[in-house]
Amino acid sequence: METSKKVKQQKKKVLLMGKSGAGKSSMRSIIFSNHVAKDVRRLGATIDVDKKRVKFLGNLLLDIWDCGGQDAFTESYLTSQKSYVFGDVGVLIYVFDVESSDFTDGARGHSDRDLQTYGSIIAALDEYSPNARIFTLVHKMDLVANEYRNEVIRSKTAAITARSGRFARRIGTYATSIWDETLYRAWGSIVNSLIPNLDIVEDGLKDLQRVTEAEEVVLFEQNTFLTVTRVSSEIGDENPRGDRYERLSNIIKTFKNSLSGYTESNSSHQFDSFTIKTGIFNLIINRLTYNTYVLVVFPPGEAEFQCARLNILSAKDEFARIESVAEGADDDFRNLRGK
């Protein structure tokens, strides 16, 4: 029995805001345009609003509004363009430059101008999009000495929360840098919060984890290589590297982008599979659907490898159907899967 439900495009307006020079366009280019960190310094300042539509997992369209952070533009957003900019927002991503002299709590004569601007933007968002999600990124953390980073992010998070009004209890704050995996951790969490029917996807991964006896199964979006979701066994849960998913996103995307140097295509090469066999574990990264890759880590052995490979191939049709589930089709699909 096949479901006749068609995919409905789900559009989410994403505001990317912050002071000019905070690094908004750089991070957007790294995540969505396959730039590498060393090249983004060539990017110029954003003028007014730079709009980019990004397709994510087939039916999720992200309308990313990269808003120039110069004072004149910010004033315009908060006055003449207020309803236009802040209406129908799904997510606000506000980027703070950790080294900005205006990013303080205002104590002892220091400037809190960045936080004042953020507070005004929060008020406008509350007026026009009260149900929006908010993520704040304390960016350029690579410029802070390692021994001070925890202290800095704690104090900055407290200052941001104090200016977040009624959004304070549901705000997500992340320390980020374009030079490491923290950028993938933050953006992975942001996009993950927007994915519809994520529980159905996770159920499918649990089935794949069970039949392959995998320690970990991770689902990536094919273009950005952001982590969509993952499941682990008890053994996988014991892995001490809590940042391994973001590291994998960074490493695999770098590998994928490097392949374009060996092809005639100007876009990044979409590889089909990548495997590692050792005496300790097996690993397969395989194209799962048009929009996703799956990474499976499972016990060593040739028989185990061949069985897992066949189970991944068998799962492709199931995940193609899962991916095509439109909003409102959940009950039909759960019935099809025997729930």
Side-chain angles (χ1 to χ4, degrees):
M1 178 178 176
E2 297 289 339
T3 178
S4 60
K5 297 282 185 179
K6 300 295 184 182
V7 173
K8 299 177 182 177
Q9 296 288 356
Q10 299 191 37
K11 298 179 183 178
K12 296 288 185 180
K13 181 178 176 182
V14 179
L15 289 185
L16 183 57
M17 307 190 81
K19 184 178 181 179
S20 179
K24 304 180 297 297
S25 299
S26 296
M27 62 174 65
R28 188 197 74 180
S29 297
I30 289 172
I31 296 295
F32 294 106
S33 299
N34 294 320
H35 282 69
V36 295
K38 66 182 179 64
D39 291 336
V40 296
R41 66 189 65 184
R42 304 172 186 171
L43 299 174
T46 301
I47 304 301
D48 202 4
V49 179
D50 182 11
K51 299 177 186 176
K52 181 179 179 67
R53 175 165 289 182
V54 177
K55 181 178 287 189
F56 196 89
L57 289 182
N59 65 331
L60 178 60
L61 291 178
L62 304 181
D63 283 329
I64 301 177
W65 291 32
D66 185 354
C67 302
Q70 294 90 335
D71 291 344
F73 294 142
T74 301
E75 183 180 354
S76 174
Y77 305 149
L78 293 170
T79 53
S80 60
Q81 297 189 76
K82 195 173 182 181
S83 61
Y84 171 68
V85 172
F86 294 102
D88 300 317
V89 175
V91 172
L92 166 66
I93 304 168
Y94 199 92
V95 183
F96 289 94
D97 181 348
V98 71
E99 289 232 308
S100 170
S101 59
D102 294 325
F103 184 25
T104 73
D105 58 9
R108 294 187 294 276
H110 295 294
S111 173
D112 62 349
R113 187 178 178 185
D114 290 355
L115 287 167
Q116 289 181 25
T117 301
Y118 169 73
S120 298
I121 286 171
I122 288 297
L125 191 71
D126 193 14
E127 180 180 356
Y128 290 98
S129 298
N131 296 318
R133 301 171 188 262
I134 300 178
F135 295 87
T136 57
L137 309 185
V138 181
H139 196 45
K140 303 183 182 179
M141 285 296 291
D142 56 285
L143 300 177
V144 179
N146 286 333
E147 61 266 31
Y148 299 122
R149 287 181 185 177
N150 288 339
E151 178 185 345
V152 167
I153 193 61
R154 277 196 299 268
S155 65
K156 298 301 186 185
T157 298
I160 291 168
T161 302
R163 302 294 182 104
S164 298
R166 68 178 192 85
F167 293 101
R169 292 187 177 182
R170 50 193 175 97
I171 193 172
T173 299
Y174 295 86
T176 57
S177 167
I178 63 172
W179 299 103
D180 60 31
E181 69 281 353
T182 55
L183 196 63
Y184 287 89
R185 180 186 308 143
W187 279 89
S189 297
I190 293 166
V191 174
N192 184 273
S193 72
L194 297 172
I195 298 172
N197 307 311
L198 191 59
D199 58 330
I200 301 177
V201 177
E202 290 174 344
D203 286 344
L205 286 187
K206 289 175 183 176
D207 289 344
L208 182 58
Q209 185 265 328
R210 177 179 51 79
V211 298
T212 58
E213 299 182 348
E215 293 181 13
E216 302 209 63
V217 180
V218 187
L219 190 68
F220 298 102
E221 196 272 336
Q222 64 90 16
N223 184 47
T224 63
F225 259 93
L226 293 173
T227 301
V228 175
T229 189
R230 71 267 185 177
V231 297
S232 302
S233 68
E234 291 183 1
I235 295 176
D237 289 337
E238 294 175 358
N239 191 316
R241 298 304 296 263
D243 61 352
R244 60 193 181 278
Y245 305 113
E246 296 79 32
R247 285 177 176 268
L248 284 168
S249 290
N250 197 358
I251 291 168
I252 299 169
K253 187 174 182 181
T254 300
F255 166 73
K256 180 173 75 78
N257 290 345
S258 71
L259 295 179
S260 63
Y262 300 94
T263 68
E264 296 180 358
S265 173
N266 291 326
S267 60
S268 292
H269 182 71
Q270 301 298 327
F271 67 95
D272 185 65
S273 65
F274 178 87
T275 63
I276 297 176
K277 298 180 184 179
T278 76
I280 302 174
F281 67 89
N282 284 319
L283 180 148
I284 296 176
I285 303 173
N286 209 93
R287 192 73 175 261
L288 190 61
T289 68
Y290 181 79
N291 299 296
T292 61
Y293 283 85
V294 67
L295 179 148
V296 184
V297 181
F298 54 98
E302 185 62 25
E304 288 80 359
F305 178 85
Q306 295 301 333
C307 287
R309 188 176 65 85
L310 290 173
N311 279 311
I312 292 171
L313 292 175
S314 298
K316 285 189 172 186
D317 287 342
E318 176 79 351
F319 274 91
R321 292 170 63 195
I322 290 173
E323 193 174 279
S324 70
V325 174
E327 188 175 19
D330 306 52
D331 291 340
D332 291 346
F333 194 79
R334 286 194 174 94
N335 289 336
L336 287 170
R337 300 190 78 238
K339 288 195 173 292

